[in-house]
Amino acid sequence: MTDFIHPALLFILGSLPIPFFSGLIRKTYLVLIPALAILAVVAMSPGSYGEAQFIGQDILVAKVDRLSIVFATVFTIMALIGMVYALHLPRAGQHVAAFVYVGSALGVVFAGDYLTLYLFWEGMAFASAYLIFAGHGDRAIRAAFRYLMVHVTGGVVLLGGILLHGAATGSLSFGPIAGAAIDGGLDPGAYLILCGFLLNAAVPPLNAWLTDAYPEATVTGAVFLSAFTTKTAIYVLARVFPGLELLVWLGTAMALYGVIYAVLENDCRRLLAYHIVSQVGYMVAGVGIGTELAVNGAASHAFAHILYKALLFMGAGAVIYVTGRRKLTELGGLYRTMPVTVALYMVGAFAISAFPFFSGFVTKSMVVAAAGEDHRALVVLALTMASSGTFLHTGLKLPYYMFFGTDRGIEAREPPRNMLVAMGMAAVLCIAIGVFPAPLYALLPYPVDFEPYTGQHVTESLGILMFTALGFVIFLRALDPENTISIDTDWFYRKGARYFMWFAERPLARYEKAVSDVSETAVLPFLHGSARAGLRLDLHGVDGVVNGVAHSIFSGGGVLRRLQTGLVTHYALAMIAGLIAAILVFAVVWR
């Protein structure tokens, strides 16, 4: 690996000295490591690095190709932006966790075997959980614990799938599974691997961990969470299951599911979290379609989504940071005191809504076009509806009630300068990708033959967006947020856990107590009595017989020892005495 620097090592090993730095030195270091990682990704060449043998299996620490490079590029860029956003934090804990989180995500992206992938996969889960625990408070701790339990469970499922698939194929090599795209013929291990990947992708009904935990994370931690876990899942799905028909319909359902639930939300970050589910649905559907255009669309949309979704979370986080409020029913009128934040947030809102000249327009449309070329009219219709719903809630409803709407008299100000600089970096990239998509297209796994800026595409998109805006104005009062809690699929494991604990504490505990009582009152006394009887039998019976026999043998041995003098005359006299005794006995008996 002399000509290859693994960016994951830069972050993971680079996290170790962070607690020992402070002030300007720490801030410089936090920016320097992501910058070096970007250079490492730009300089790397396709190939295999770090080959080894472990437990009879081929291990490949890094496999570099076009698919891994496009994800590694945006991951390192996002790490730089996220670190700039978090520079104001006085304590090092979140910085360390974020470094390990980013490094683990990069480890997954370059993994060439399932063992390497699994180790980094679990590293992501534990590092990201800290960013939720760091939110403190009862809600954050509970959400973080649930998040961790869900991901540990998913990790166990993934590990089981890896072992079964490895046993079936004889290899732990990480790559496309034969038959998945042709006839869906997967071995049991492959199905478990698919389930593990779908959980991290937040595919319903495995999505509730995301919308439950992300709103409870720290202001800076939520930015990192929005960028890495689900997009890493898209990468592994594109690597292993391209063309799997099931993913087309799961992704289409996701796109609509997230938009529908966003309608019900009052918490600004929870609303944005549901739109992560929706936008990731486009990527899952693109991977499922499996054509070159569709996979390019999934990869490019993941690239754009990381940037504009981070920008949206940074904007919402800035509001929470300066006001301490996150519910739309408690916000409003902030455009007067936070104009820069409003402007930067709206760049992300236009990007996620696929406005022309913003990044979402040149990436999301690629997935929709791929569905059209594959003659999937229903998928095209569903994804178009989801795009309209995204603009309705993220581009119109959320900024209206958060920044405009009713003035609540909140005393607010712009967030710290480093937060604005990070938002500005993301906003510039959202616009640059939308205006000049060619550099992004050049990174994609396959040659791109797609032109987003056609007259038909632009007019269709603007027509849908303007119609959506008209509907928002007409039905504004019907969209007023309400201070309610929406019930998602997390209801099942929340209730299930409650019933499980009730079962463990009531019937199961009572059964265990009854068995214990019976054991203590009947079984144990019987066993103790049997043991004492056995001890007495052993001491007075068996030991007595054994000791008596041993004593007799010992005494007889002493007599024989005394008789064995070694003199012939003694033996002759003994024989004569024996002969005389025999004659006397014979004579008496004969008479």
Side-chain angles (χ1 to χ4, degrees):
M1 298 178 67
T2 56
D3 57 344
F4 173 80
I5 299 175
H6 203 312
L9 296 181
L10 287 175
F11 282 100
I12 295 175
L13 296 181
S15 67
L16 299 178
I18 292 177
F20 303 100
F21 297 149
S22 61
L24 182 61
I25 296 177
R26 179 192 289 175
K27 293 179 179 180
T28 303
Y29 182 79
L30 292 174
V31 173
L32 177 62
I33 295 299
L36 292 176
I38 294 173
L39 294 177
V41 173
V42 171
M44 66 179 54
S45 301
S48 298
Y49 305 90
E51 299 179 9
Q53 280 277 331
F54 181 70
I55 59 173
Q57 294 290 334
D58 293 327
I59 301 300
L60 184 58
V61 176
K63 180 180 180 180
V64 181
D65 59 12
R66 294 178 66 87
L67 181 63
S68 58
I69 287 176
V70 68
F71 278 87
T73 300
V74 70
F75 281 0
T76 51
I77 292 173
M78 186 58 235
L80 177 61
I81 295 173
M83 282 299 156
V84 172
Y85 189 76
L87 284 179
H88 64 281
L89 296 178
R91 297 184 179 180
Q94 291 187 60
H95 293 142
V96 173
F99 263 49
V100 176
Y101 184 26
V102 176
S104 298
L106 288 167
V108 171
V109 165
F110 288 113
D113 65 275
Y114 277 109
L115 180 59
T116 301
L117 179 141
Y118 178 75
L119 293 176
F120 285 116
W121 191 267
E122 291 300 278
M124 286 175 54
F126 285 94
S128 58
Y130 179 87
L131 299 175
I132 307 169
F133 277 113
H136 302 297
D138 184 65
R139 289 170 59 92
I141 292 173
R142 288 176 180 271
F145 183 76
R146 290 190 294 269
Y147 174 93
L148 194 57
M149 292 300 99
V150 169
H151 281 279
V152 168
T153 302
V156 172
V157 171
L158 177 61
L159 179 60
I162 291 172
L163 295 177
L164 289 176
H165 182 67
T169 61
S171 172
L172 292 179
S173 178
F174 178 53
I177 294 180
I182 300 173
D183 56 5
L186 303 178
D187 59 80
Y191 278 112
L192 291 178
I193 291 173
L194 177 61
C195 289
F197 291 167
L198 293 179
L199 187 146
N200 270 32
V203 175
L206 306 175
N207 65 294
W209 60 266
L210 189 155
T211 51
D212 177 35
Y214 284 17
E216 307 302 332
T218 64
V219 166
T220 55
V223 175
F224 286 95
L225 291 169
S226 71
F228 294 101
T229 298
T230 51
K231 265 58 74 181
T232 305
I234 293 301
Y235 167 79
V236 295
L237 285 172
R239 176 71 70 190
V240 181
F241 298 105
L244 183 62
E245 182 69 16
L246 175 64
L247 297 180
V248 178
W249 303 108
L250 289 177
T252 303
M254 284 181 72
L256 293 173
Y257 185 93
V259 167
I260 292 171
Y261 263 89
V263 177
L264 309 173
E265 278 308 318
N266 184 35
D267 186 308
C268 62
R269 289 199 297 183
R270 190 171 170 88
L271 188 153
L272 293 175
Y274 272 114
H275 277 295
I276 292 179
V277 176
S278 178
Q279 295 299 299
V280 171
Y282 285 83
M283 307 169 208
V284 173
V287 172
I289 295 170
T291 62
E292 291 187 359
L293 180 61
V295 175
N296 277 344
S300 64
H301 196 47
F303 194 108
H305 179 268
I306 287 172
L307 298 173
Y308 65 61
K309 182 57 69 174
L311 176 55
L312 294 171
F313 266 91
M314 285 189 284
V319 171
I320 296 171
Y321 181 83
V322 299
T323 68
R325 305 181 186 185
R326 65 188 199 182
K327 293 184 177 181
L328 299 182
T329 51
E330 300 172 352
L331 294 168
L334 299 179
Y335 72 95
R336 296 186 180 89
T337 54
M338 303 179 70
V340 178
T341 301
V342 175
L344 294 174
Y345 174 89
M346 290 309 301
V347 172
F350 290 144
I352 193 175
S353 304
F355 259 83
F357 305 110
F358 292 88
S359 57
F361 181 81
V362 302
T363 59
K364 185 186 298 185
S365 58
M366 196 179 296
V367 177
V368 179
E373 288 187 3
D374 207 39
H375 308 292
R376 299 177 181 270
L378 185 60
V379 175
V380 172
L381 176 62
L383 296 181
T384 303
M385 292 173 59
S387 181
S388 175
T390 299
F391 178 50
L392 177 65
H393 299 292
T394 306
L396 295 172
K397 175 184 173 179
L398 192 151
Y400 175 79
Y401 288 103
M402 185 163 63
F403 296 114
F404 303 95
T406 303
D407 192 338
R408 308 288 179 180
I410 302 172
E411 295 183 5
R413 64 189 186 285
E414 294 288 3
R417 185 175 302 174
N418 63 288
M419 298 174 75
L420 292 176
V421 170
M423 294 172 67
M425 294 167 65
V428 168
L429 289 173
C430 288
I431 297 173
I433 293 171
V435 177
F436 304 106
L440 172 58
Y441 288 174
L443 284 175
L444 298 179
Y446 303 104
V448 177
D449 183 18
F450 175 73
E451 175 52 55
Y453 289 107
T454 63
Q456 179 181 357
H457 182 210
V458 172
T459 54
E460 286 179 352
S461 298
L462 287 176
I464 293 171
L465 294 169
M466 293 304 102
F467 182 79
T468 303
L470 177 62
F472 175 76
V473 173
I474 295 174
F475 299 104
L476 179 61
R477 292 307 171 198
L479 294 172
D480 282 348
E482 298 180 4
N483 192 18
T484 58
I485 299 176
S486 55
I487 299 175
D488 200 349
T489 53
D490 60 338
W491 181 88
F492 293 99
Y493 63 72
R494 287 173 185 257
K495 289 293 185 181
R498 181 176 300 176
Y499 287 128
F500 175 80
M501 293 305 298
W502 175 86
F503 177 76
E505 293 173 355
R506 299 291 181 84
L508 191 61
R510 290 175 181 176
Y511 171 77
E512 187 274 337
K513 185 176 184 303
V515 172
S516 178
D517 291 342
V518 171
S519 175
E520 291 178 358
T521 58
V523 178
L524 288 179
F526 172 76
L527 293 177
H528 290 162
S530 300
R532 286 193 294 267
L535 180 62
R536 287 193 297 269
L537 177 63
D538 180 58
L539 292 176
H540 303 295
V542 177
D543 285 356
V545 173
V546 172
N547 291 337
V549 173
H551 180 71
S552 300
I553 293 174
F554 182 77
S555 300
V559 173
L560 289 176
R561 186 169 61 252
R562 287 191 297 270
L563 292 175
Q564 292 176 351
T565 61
L567 299 177
V568 177
T569 55
H570 291 178
Y571 295 146
L573 291 174
M575 292 174 62
I576 292 171
L579 179 61
I580 293 172
I583 292 172
L584 292 174
V585 171
F586 178 78
V588 172
V589 174
W590 183 258
R591 292 181 60 183

